Amino acid sequence: MPFACADARFPPGLFNMSSLSTSAVVHRSLKVDFPRIIGSKGNYVILEDGRRIFDASGGAAVACIGHGDTRVHDAIAAQLKKISYCSTIFYTTDVCEKLCRELVDSTHGVMKRAYIVNSGSEAMEAAMKLARQYYLEKVPPEPSRMRFIAREHSYHGTTLGSLSMGGHVTRRAKFEPMLLDCVSRVSRCFPFRDKQGSETDLQYVTRLADELDREFQRIGADTVCAFVAEPIVGAALGCVPFVPGYLKAMKAVCDKHGALFILDEVMCGMGRSGTYHAWEQDDAVPDIQTLGKCLGGGYQPIAGVLASKKVIEVFEKGTGVFVHGHTYQGHPIACAAALEVQRIIREENLVQNVSNMGGLLSARLQDLVASHPNVGNVRGSGLFWGVEFVMDKTTNKPFPSSLGVAFEIAELGLTNPYSMAVYPSSGTADGVNGDHIIISPPYNILATDVETIATTIQRLIIDYFASKKAET
């Protein structure tokens, strides 16, 4: 059975390819007949052949309160009876105002306004434009600032602007001639692969901060709008958390050079990492923040940007105009769904449950999976965990991308007796080679669900690598 791999790359032999598909959809592969979901409830999606798949990844770390919650359905239906579309050049809606207030208040007052869009890629595009316009609105203005510094092997979206910001080698490869040349890169924060054996955390953080400082100087500090990073790297590296003190150190370098500090929390934020915002774990407040997947929990397409008082007050004293916009920004139905999802998360204290169940999931994955000879590393935070696979545990040599290890594991997971969805990706080690899966279940899981997830993934990994050994 085919699996829709995140990189839209289909390793040879992974799928039952067919040129006879009759679908009218431009799927991630036009040669794959994708299985159809006919229903869902709670932690499960139901396929047309009757299989119930435990959604242990929430899709792409999206379904944070599970599937089929009728409270969200009711909120959507209620909004439909009021207004289904708002032309934001003329109007606003109560539901958009309430959602943005909810988001601003979640930062304890350090952010001042929110901007609602439809996807994480759109959010990054808006963040880039907001940063550029901030320097044009300043008194005195700084029009020379038009560059960004991001990180190697990062991922920030698929539109040309957000893809330019990202450093994901395989996702960029076909479009390199079209991408912006105003983005340079520094090293990722990835202690498993990049931290030197004798380094302490403090020394590692200092080395990375020094590298960022040198990059500002190399390209001209007065040309840089912002440094951009995911606090906990999702799809590109597989739930790699920042080293304690890293965010603070990088923000300090930005402050030194008068640049903005932008954090991409589209995948790791909104409670996913065990705090409402991942940056709270290092007390490093961004100037601009993107958010997305767990904002609406998959019930509607929605993402957003949070802007700090520092940024907004410059606009308020200037033209007051953000020269950017989308037809469907602040969409009332999307806002209604997200507002209800956030109400459920808040009133049911689900972020605390993420922290509690995340600690248990971490312990069980370490107990059951970490010692496997082809598991190089288990890492994450909250209910956002990655398992990286290696050919050789002593050297951490990655599997070549041509083998499609992570995608084959994910495909096997959808079959009986496992019937569990995990999120696969590749390029973990060097941007091309290396494999990992992500485990990111709903926030409202129980201890029994954690045990089901951990034991199933253990069996899945053991069986997959045993079958590969038997083939050779």
Side-chain angles (χ1 to χ4, degrees):
M1 175 175 129
F3 188 91
C5 70
D7 293 317
R9 294 186 301 120
F10 298 81
L14 177 55
F15 303 113
N16 295 321
M17 300 293 195
S18 170
S19 60
L20 302 177
S21 175
T22 58
S23 175
V25 178
V26 181
H27 286 296
R28 291 181 182 237
S29 171
L30 303 185
K31 296 182 179 180
V32 172
D33 286 321
F34 287 80
R36 298 191 185 191
I37 294 176
I38 61 168
S40 64
K41 185 64 177 177
N43 294 333
Y44 292 87
V45 295
I46 303 164
L47 305 184
E48 62 182 345
D49 63 6
R51 269 178 297 165
R52 287 165 49 86
I53 305 296
F54 191 108
D55 192 2
S57 67
V62 173
C64 57
I65 62 168
H67 301 279
D69 193 309
T70 57
R71 294 170 293 182
V72 186
H73 299 171
D74 291 343
I76 290 171
Q79 182 59 42
L80 278 168
K81 294 177 181 178
K82 297 176 182 178
I83 185 73
S84 59
Y85 164 68
C86 173
S87 178
T88 55
I89 195 171
F90 299 116
Y91 315 107
T92 187
T93 58
D94 187 54
V95 70
C96 182
E97 296 290 336
K98 286 181 177 178
L99 176 61
C100 289
R101 175 54 55 191
E102 174 101 5
L103 295 174
V104 167
D105 289 350
S106 75
T107 69
H108 312 292
V110 298
M111 295 297 191
K112 191 166 184 180
R113 292 199 184 225
Y115 182 78
I116 303 300
V117 290
N118 305 291
S119 72
S121 297
E122 287 183 22
M124 180 51 64
E125 296 275 337
M128 293 170 69
K129 287 187 174 181
L130 191 65
R132 166 64 177 168
Q133 289 180 51
Y134 165 80
Y135 288 103
L136 298 179
E137 296 281 337
K138 278 188 68 187
V139 179
E142 299 182 55
S144 64
R145 291 190 184 265
M146 42 68 68
R147 299 188 62 84
F148 294 86
I149 303 174
R151 301 192 301 186
E152 294 173 350
H153 309 148
S154 56
Y155 178 64
H156 298 292
T158 59
T159 54
L160 291 178
S162 59
L163 193 62
S164 299
M165 185 68 74
H168 196 289
V169 176
T170 54
R171 298 190 192 198
R172 289 172 55 95
K174 294 182 184 299
F175 310 103
E176 286 285 355
M178 303 167 65
L179 301 182
L180 302 175
D181 62 1
C182 61
V183 182
S184 62
R185 285 182 183 77
V186 293
S187 298
R188 59 197 182 178
C189 181
F190 193 179
F192 170 64
R193 289 204 168 271
D194 301 341
K195 185 179 174 184
Q196 296 171 4
S198 60
E199 279 185 316
T200 64
D201 282 353
L202 177 58
Q203 290 170 330
Y204 183 44
V205 167
T206 300
R207 175 160 64 88
L208 293 174
D210 287 346
E211 181 188 359
L212 178 61
D213 186 72
R214 290 193 303 272
E215 183 63 12
F216 268 99
Q217 296 175 47
R218 185 188 72 82
I219 63 177
D222 62 350
T223 70
V224 180
C225 286
F227 169 67
V228 181
E230 290 177 273
I232 303 172
V233 185
L237 298 181
C239 307
V240 175
F242 57 85
V243 174
Y246 171 81
L247 297 182
K248 273 188 173 181
M250 304 307 262
K251 179 177 172 61
V253 176
C254 291
D255 290 344
K256 172 184 174 181
H257 294 291
L260 297 178
F261 183 56
I262 299 178
L263 291 181
D264 180 349
E265 294 206 6
V266 167
M267 200 169 197
C268 68
M270 305 305 297
R272 172 58 68 189
S273 64
T275 52
Y276 200 80
H277 304 288
W279 54 258
E280 294 178 275
Q281 298 173 30
D282 211 32
D283 192 26
V285 180
D287 296 302
I288 298 173
Q289 174 186 351
T290 61
L291 41 89
K293 299 178 186 296
C294 290
L295 174 58
Y299 285 87
Q300 285 285 293
I302 189 168
V305 179
L306 283 168
S308 67
K309 288 181 179 180
K310 168 182 166 181
V311 170
I312 292 300
E313 287 172 2
V314 163
F315 276 79
E316 289 174 340
K317 292 174 184 177
T319 66
V321 177
F322 180 30
V323 186
H324 186 60
H326 294 277
T327 300
Y328 293 116
Q329 72 183 62
H331 195 277
I333 307 304
C335 288
L339 187 63
E340 182 63 13
V341 168
Q342 296 311 306
R343 183 195 68 79
I344 291 167
I345 290 172
R346 183 182 68 252
E347 293 185 1
E348 296 185 0
N349 201 22
L350 292 184
V351 177
Q352 184 60 54
N353 194 60
V354 170
S355 180
N356 295 342
M357 293 299 101
L360 181 58
L361 179 58
S362 169
R364 294 304 287 148
L365 288 174
Q366 294 291 347
D367 289 343
L368 301 177
V369 172
S371 62
H372 189 279
N374 294 111
V375 171
N377 191 228
V378 177
R379 69 285 184 127
S381 180
L383 287 176
F384 195 45
W385 286 87
V387 178
E388 181 174 345
F389 304 106
V390 295
M391 288 184 69
D392 185 335
K393 203 177 182 77
T394 60
T395 63
N396 293 323
K397 180 180 179 181
F399 287 98
S401 60
S402 59
L403 295 181
V405 169
F407 303 114
E408 288 191 344
I409 289 173
E411 182 191 18
L412 181 63
L414 296 181
T415 65
N416 292 322
Y418 318 100
S419 296
M420 180 169 287
V422 295
Y423 184 89
S425 197
S426 62
T428 322
D430 58 16
V432 177
N433 301 302
D435 297 86
H436 66 262
I437 57 170
I438 290 176
I439 301 104
S440 47
Y443 296 179
N444 48 12
I445 60 169
L446 306 173
T448 52
D449 299 318
V450 170
E451 191 64 17
T452 297
I453 293 168
T455 54
T456 302
I457 289 174
Q458 178 196 35
R459 188 166 70 251
L460 174 61
I461 291 171
I462 290 172
D463 291 353
Y464 172 77
F465 286 106
S467 69
K468 290 300 175 183
K469 187 175 182 180
E471 288 177 8
T472 58

